[in-house]
């Protein structure tokens, strides 16, 4: 029953991710609709499901979830391995060694796939939302071949570089798999959108998203991704050499590494949503047009406070329960486990 419940949660979460991403992808890349007096109406359900944005985003999110699970198990296993000493705790060490080994395999495969899919996403983004890519790279002027930023300090209001270290050709490679190819910069794209949407929003409307947030979100996600890859591969190497237990500092690091997938997930999501600004539905509706006249500021504030409180309580309960079970004796009898669960509430 326990195993059945686990699989139901997995399948339910994956289906939920799929539907959320189908809905969200309409905002990123609207498809399968017609405008009827300003109201978007769906024309084809199949086209909505096969929105190309979904099919780069969904595999990225699924493999990111596998990576998150793997790093969580790696961190808890590392903690328990560090804490178990003496012959009496040998069974515990065997158990957490096994969970560490499996999690290292899953983590390495998961994060490798996340990076591969991420590469495809970036290629899709250059075509579908070039401003998001320009913002993520702090690329103010168009380039061919386009360089990738190692560090850019920009003047955001002035829309120009102040200081930049860039790797020549790497952004073209990320976008087209070859070391040449034009990537449009923020200023050219803004001018192109101003011309394209002049009738609707006037000639001076701005189409540039928050730059520093996009730039650093992209770097945090990719940085955390490559760090996790290195950690998972090193963990596999130590397991292969049977030297894991001698590397206590590495085990301690793996406990802290639990934070990495959460950082990558949150910053990935920030990039996805902030990079879409100022659009609520890309190319179709700006944020200010989506503000409902029926909703007051007070109502918005009240719902924000309510949701923050509810989710704050849920996070606290979640962390409490996760910690409790991570610390519990895994060899305790089932009755004891049930009792612990009851006492948790
Ligand atoms: C290391 C290389 C990576 C690359 C090149 C990459 C690429 C991308 C790109 C381009 C996007 C935005 C897609 C869009 O808005 O169109 C994105 C979003 C995202 N990424 Fe990554 N990523 C990488 C690593 C990771 C890792 C390691 C994780 C988590 C473990 C992660 C989790 C996410 C999440 C959750 C989103 C938001 C998805 C959504 O809300 O629809 N990424 N990634």
């Amino acid at each position: 029953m326990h195993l059945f419940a686990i699989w139901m949660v997995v399948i339910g979460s994956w289906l939920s991710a799929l539907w959320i991403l189908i809905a969200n992808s309409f905002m990123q890349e609207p498809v399968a609709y017609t405008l009827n007096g300003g109201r978007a109406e769906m024309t084809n359900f199949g086209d909505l499901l096969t929105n190309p944005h979904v099919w780069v985003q969904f595999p990225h999110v699924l493999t990111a979830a596998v990576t998150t699970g793997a790093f969580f198990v790696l961190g808890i296993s590392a903690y328990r391995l560090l804490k178990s000493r003496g012959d009496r705790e040998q069974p515990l060490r065997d158990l957490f060694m096994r969970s560490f080994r499996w999690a290292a395999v899953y983590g390495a495969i998961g994060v490798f796939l996340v990076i591969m899919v991420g590469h495809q996403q970036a290629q899709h983004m250059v075509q579908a939302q070039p401003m998001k890519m320009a913002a993520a790279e702090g690329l103010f002027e168009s380039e061919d071949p386009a360089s990738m930023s190692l560090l850019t300090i920009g003047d955001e209001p002035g829309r120009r570089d102040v200081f930049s270290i860039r790797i020549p050709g790497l952004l073209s490679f990320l976008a087209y798999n070859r070391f040449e190819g034009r990537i449009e910069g923020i200023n050219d794209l803004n001018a192109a959108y101003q011309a394209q949407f002049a009738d609707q929003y006037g000639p001076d409307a701005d189409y540039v998203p928050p730059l520093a947030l996009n730039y650093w979100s992209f770097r945090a996600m990719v940085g955390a991704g490559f760090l996790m890859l290195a950690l998972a591969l090193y963990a596999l190497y130590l397991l292969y050499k049977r030297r894991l237990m001698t590397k206590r500092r590495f085990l301690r690091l793996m406990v802290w590494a639990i934070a990495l997938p959460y950082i990558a997930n949150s910053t990935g999501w920030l990039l996805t949503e902030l990079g879409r600004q100022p659009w609520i539905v890309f190319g179709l509706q700006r944020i200010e047009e989506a503000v409902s006249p029926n909703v007051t500021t007070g109502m918005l504030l009240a719902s924000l406070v309510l949701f923050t409180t509810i989710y704050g309580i849920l996070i606290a309960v979640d962390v409490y329960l996760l910690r409790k079970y991570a610390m519990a004796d895994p060899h305790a009898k089932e009755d004891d486990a049930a009792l612990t669960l009851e006492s948790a509430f």
Side-chain angles (χ1 to χ4, degrees):
M1 280 307 287
H2 195 177
L3 192 59
F4 177 74
I6 287 173
W7 276 107
M8 288 301 102
V9 172
V10 171
I11 294 169
S13 314
W14 285 19
L15 282 175
S16 166
L18 177 65
W19 290 115
I20 288 172
L21 288 172
I22 288 170
N24 183 265
S25 291
F26 183 82
M27 298 162 77
Q28 307 288 345
E29 198 171 324
V31 294
Y33 71 93
T34 177
L35 285 181
N36 184 357
R39 181 187 139 100
E41 293 177 353
M42 186 174 69
T43 50
N44 188 323
F45 189 53
D47 288 348
L48 197 67
L49 302 189
T50 52
N51 184 344
H53 192 266
V54 175
W55 296 102
V56 282
Q57 214 76 337
F58 186 50
H60 195 64
V61 169
L62 282 195
T63 45
V66 170
T67 308
T68 307
F71 269 77
F72 188 79
V73 175
L74 275 170
I76 302 299
S77 308
Y79 181 81
R80 299 298 301 255
L81 285 172
L82 280 168
K83 291 283 159 197
S84 63
R85 288 172 188 269
D87 289 347
R88 215 167 53 88
E89 302 212 340
Q90 187 59 43
L92 268 188
R93 268 200 298 283
D94 291 345
L95 177 82
F96 286 109
M97 194 57 125
R98 216 164 57 227
S99 59
F100 190 95
R101 193 175 306 127
W102 276 110
V105 172
Y106 269 75
I109 296 174
V111 76
F112 174 74
L113 292 176
V114 176
I115 293 173
M116 296 311 285
V117 181
H119 179 55
Q120 281 195 321
Q121 264 174 306
Q123 299 198 326
H124 183 74
M125 204 160 93
V126 171
Q127 307 300 328
Q129 288 185 321
M131 182 62 100
K132 197 186 271 182
M133 176 51 93
E137 274 305 312
L139 187 73
F140 288 97
E141 304 304 334
S142 307
E143 285 186 1
D144 183 4
S147 57
M148 182 167 239
S149 163
L150 265 189
L151 175 69
T152 298
I153 313 249
D155 167 8
E156 194 160 340
R159 305 269 161 85
R160 61 180 185 90
D161 267 359
V162 175
F163 171 79
S164 197
I165 306 174
R166 310 188 71 95
I167 306 174
L170 199 59
L171 186 55
S172 294
F173 179 78
L174 186 71
Y176 308 116
N177 292 337
R178 55 189 157 82
F179 287 96
E180 55 193 28
R182 183 180 166 87
I183 304 284
E184 297 292 329
I186 293 162
N187 292 330
D188 282 344
L189 284 166
N190 197 34
Y193 288 135
Q194 280 174 335
Q196 185 181 348
F197 296 103
D199 289 350
Q200 278 147 283
Y201 305 114
D204 298 323
D206 197 44
Y207 299 90
V208 180
L211 295 177
L213 272 171
N214 270 281
Y215 177 83
W216 288 110
S217 298
F218 190 47
R219 256 131 210 90
M221 173 181 63
V222 173
F226 280 107
L227 190 56
M228 283 190 280
L229 183 65
L231 289 174
L233 290 179
Y234 187 55
L236 286 176
Y237 169 78
L238 289 178
L239 286 165
Y240 174 70
K241 290 279 178 191
R242 298 183 184 281
R243 295 216 320 251
L244 182 67
M245 289 309 287
T246 63
K247 301 283 180 190
R248 298 184 73 78
R249 233 182 313 160
F250 177 69
L251 286 175
R252 272 197 290 274
L253 187 66
M254 289 311 283
V255 180
W256 287 102
I258 292 179
L260 288 175
Y262 292 92
I263 292 172
N265 283 322
S266 307
T267 49
W269 173 66
L270 282 176
L271 168 72
T272 299
E273 305 307 337
L274 287 173
R276 174 173 43 83
Q277 310 292 322
W279 301 103
I280 190 137
V281 181
F282 185 78
L284 212 58
Q285 188 180 35
R286 285 175 62 104
I287 301 277
E288 57 267 26
E289 294 175 293
V291 178
S292 168
N294 301 330
V295 181
T296 63
T297 315
M299 284 156 86
L300 273 181
L301 186 67
S303 70
L304 187 66
V305 169
L306 192 71
F307 276 115
T308 309
T309 312
I310 292 175
Y311 278 95
I313 294 170
L314 284 177
I315 288 176
V317 173
D318 191 34
V319 170
Y320 171 78
L321 287 176
L322 286 172
R323 192 178 173 283
K324 190 181 176 93
Y325 285 99
M327 299 302 144
D329 178 1
H331 292 120
K333 290 201 205 80
E334 269 181 35
D335 288 356
D336 296 350
L339 270 180
T340 334
L341 186 62
E342 263 171 35
S343 64
F345 289 97

